[in-house]
């Protein structure tokens, strides 16, 4: 990654914040329900007072946000504070290496990958703010555009309880693509798909997410019976630890385009899926693995192989804004996911908010991510966690 500025950094302080807001309605998936909306934010500050913000994926387990915050405070602070790194990428690689044995010892590679990912977003934000440059531009190729193409969005997380009402509301707000949860029984899934299709029209892009609900035979059958709804993709129809060969078989034996990647980690694993037939829509989550350092590489590799790059996100506002910048920097066709359900943390943790126009958002020249959390407005959602 060749960058136009000095990207060396030294973090003096790392602050960790945990927030929880009510989920109304609860977010339903095939494997569990979220009854509140958690967020873990990381703020890094350098010796000159320049800051950067990142967000750690923390949706599940539902008690996991506080644990991730403690892990970040305990293990990231001594590894980054007072240390100098040549670039955010060098920081990401050093932390990944230093925590690799601990990941094996404690059996928590995911938690450690997630806190490193959130920190990576924060240090990239810091470097771009220091350079007075928007992050999308810093991460774009050297001859990148003066203004990025609008980033297309889709309304995600449409639950299986009266999904047509939420889909219709999001259509009225300006969304032009939609994704519904499936995996709740063939009859219920079909009825919901028909209701949503009636609400959004025959031509609107409609996707479905099974959240790893089925085995191979069930996934093949589901893809075949859902073909009539004109779906843009079928997401995570089988377990995330299914092999690329399994995904290739699934691509052959049922008709729908396959999407996945939010539960993959590491360039070797992403490369194995991107290089094989099967997963045609690649969806890394920059708060779950990789941050910008990893996910920009994933996105560019996906485009090189003719795949569609659609960053995954179902959290609060810092991670969502970061996903916009990730997509704008990588380019190519595809969407960024926006949770269709109410989430107070989406708005107060990324100020100013984004403006939706005909299903897309236009990024501007504000430095870094261009947003900051309003910690005063969200004070009632802050959870005091000992040790952070």
């Amino acid at each position: 990654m060749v960058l136009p500025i000095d990207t060396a950094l030294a973090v003096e302080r790392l602050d960790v914040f945990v927030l929880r807001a009510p989920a109304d309605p609860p977010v339903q998936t095939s494997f569990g329900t979220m009854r509140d909306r958690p967020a873990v934010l990381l703020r890094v500050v350098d010796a000159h007072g320049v800051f950067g913000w990142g967000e750690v994926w923390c949706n599940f387990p539902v008690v996991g946000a506080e644990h991730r915050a403690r892990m970040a405070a305990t293990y990231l602070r001594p590894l980054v504070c007072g240390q100098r790194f040549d670039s955010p990428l060098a920081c990401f690689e050093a932390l990944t290496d230093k925590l690799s044995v601990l990941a094996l010892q404690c059996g928590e590679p995911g938690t450690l990958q997630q806190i490193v990912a959130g920190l990576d977003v924060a240090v990239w934000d810091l470097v771009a703010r220091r350079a007075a440059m928007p992050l999308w531009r810093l991460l774009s190729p050297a001859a990148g555009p003066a203004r990025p193409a609008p980033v297309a969005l889709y309304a995600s997380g449409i639950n299986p309880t009266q999904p047509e009402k939420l889909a219709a509301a999001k259509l009225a707000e300006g969304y032009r693509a939609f994704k519904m949860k499936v995996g709740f029984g063939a009859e219920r899934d079909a009825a919901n798909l028909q209701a949503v299709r009636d609400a959004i029209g025959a031509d609107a892009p409609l996707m479905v997410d099974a959240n790893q609900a089925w085995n191979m035979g069930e996934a093949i059958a589901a893809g075949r019976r859902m073909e009539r709804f004109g779906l843009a993709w079928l997401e995570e129809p089988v377990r995330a630890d299914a092999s690329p060969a399994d995904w290739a078989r699934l691509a052959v034996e049922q008709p729908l385009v396959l999407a996945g990647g939010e539960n993959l980690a590491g360039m070797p694993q992403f490369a194995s899926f991107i290089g094989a037939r099967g997963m045609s829509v690649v969806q890394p989550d920059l708060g779950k693995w990789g941050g910008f350092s990893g996910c920009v590489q994933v996105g560019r590799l996906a485009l090189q192989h003719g795949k569609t790059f659609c960053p995954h996100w179902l959290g609060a506002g810092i991670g969502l804004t970061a996903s916009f910048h990730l997509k704008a920097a990588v380019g190519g066709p595809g969407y960024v996911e926006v949770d269709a359900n109410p989430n107070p943390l989406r708005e107060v943790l990324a100020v100013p908010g984004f403006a939706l126009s005909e299903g897309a958002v236009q990024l501007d020249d504000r430095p870094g991510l261009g947003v900051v959390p309003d910690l005063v407005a969200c004070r009632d959602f802050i959870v005091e966690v000992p040790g952070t």
Side-chain angles (χ1 to χ4, degrees):
M1 195 183 297
V2 179
L3 300 173
I5 64 167
D6 176 18
T7 59
L9 67 135
V11 173
E12 291 295 314
R13 192 174 84 242
L14 169 61
D15 301 317
V16 183
F17 302 86
V18 178
L19 303 97
R20 286 190 180 273
D24 184 19
V27 178
Q28 303 172 62
T29 73
S30 61
F31 60 81
T33 300
M34 293 171 58
R35 302 192 182 279
D36 62 19
R37 309 306 299 264
V40 174
L41 299 189
L42 304 181
R43 178 175 60 191
V44 293
V45 185
D46 71 9
H48 303 287
V50 181
F51 62 86
W53 286 93
E55 184 173 349
V56 178
W57 183 92
C58 63
N59 291 342
F60 290 96
V62 294
V63 296
E66 290 80 0
H67 175 59
R68 288 169 174 81
R70 291 188 186 98
M71 293 288 278
T74 301
Y75 291 104
L76 293 184
R77 276 196 184 123
L79 292 178
V80 298
C81 291
Q83 304 298 315
R84 186 186 184 280
F85 300 94
D86 290 339
S87 67
L89 176 59
C91 179
F92 173 78
E93 291 174 340
L95 294 181
T96 299
D97 179 65
K98 288 180 181 296
L99 293 172
S100 60
V101 173
L102 177 63
L104 294 173
Q105 180 67 30
C106 67
E108 292 196 62
T111 298
L112 293 167
Q113 289 163 354
Q114 291 150 21
I115 62 174
V116 170
L119 183 80
D120 184 82
V121 172
V123 295
W124 276 110
D125 185 30
L126 184 154
V127 166
R129 288 180 193 271
R130 188 182 65 196
M133 181 182 295
L135 192 44
W136 64 262
R137 182 176 294 149
L138 176 60
L139 292 168
S140 297
R147 184 178 175 86
V151 177
L153 312 180
Y154 70 88
S156 176
I158 298 176
N159 290 325
T161 302
Q162 297 182 313
E164 69 279 5
K165 292 186 176 182
L166 184 55
K170 292 299 160 179
L171 180 66
E173 287 180 19
Y175 286 89
R176 297 295 177 258
F178 309 85
K179 188 175 78 181
M180 193 190 84
K181 298 289 188 181
V182 294
F184 300 92
E187 185 175 339
R188 187 180 185 189
D189 287 348
N192 282 340
L193 280 167
Q194 187 60 62
V196 170
R197 190 43 97 189
D198 291 343
I200 65 175
D203 297 328
L206 175 60
M207 297 76 87
V208 292
D209 187 354
N211 291 119
Q212 310 180 66
W214 301 309
N215 61 32
M216 179 63 68
E218 292 167 339
I220 292 169
R224 290 172 179 173
R225 68 173 175 263
M226 292 190 294
E227 181 182 14
R228 62 191 176 93
F229 295 104
L231 301 177
W233 72 62
L234 168 59
E235 186 172 329
E236 282 202 325
V238 293
R239 286 173 48 138
D241 58 0
S243 69
D246 288 335
W247 281 71
R249 176 189 166 195
L250 188 56
V252 170
E253 297 194 24
Q254 62 79 49
L256 300 180
V257 170
L258 300 178
E262 68 183 88
N263 290 306
L264 301 182
M267 280 308 300
Q269 189 175 39
F270 272 106
S272 68
F273 277 88
I274 291 171
R277 178 176 183 175
M279 189 181 291
S280 296
V281 181
V282 181
Q283 302 170 301
D285 187 312
L286 89 174
K288 203 167 193 179
W289 174 82
F292 287 106
S293 292
C295 291
V296 167
Q297 297 180 62
V298 169
R300 290 177 178 160
L301 185 64
L303 296 189
Q304 291 170 15
H305 283 78
K307 305 292 179 79
T308 302
F309 178 59
C310 295
H312 174 276
W313 186 254
L314 205 75
I318 292 294
L320 178 61
T321 306
S323 298
F324 295 163
H325 282 259
L326 172 62
K327 180 59 182 170
V330 172
Y335 304 90
V336 170
E337 176 176 31
V338 179
D339 186 4
N341 298 283
N343 183 357
L345 300 183
R346 180 168 52 236
E347 285 74 31
V348 297
L349 295 188
V351 180
F354 68 91
L356 179 67
S357 177
E358 286 301 308
V361 63
Q362 179 67 62
L363 297 180
D364 57 26
D365 285 336
R366 287 173 293 180
L369 293 175
V371 297
V372 294
D374 186 340
L375 296 179
V376 174
C378 69
R379 60 185 178 274
D380 291 340
F381 302 131
I382 294 176
V383 178
E384 296 296 333
V385 180
T388 61

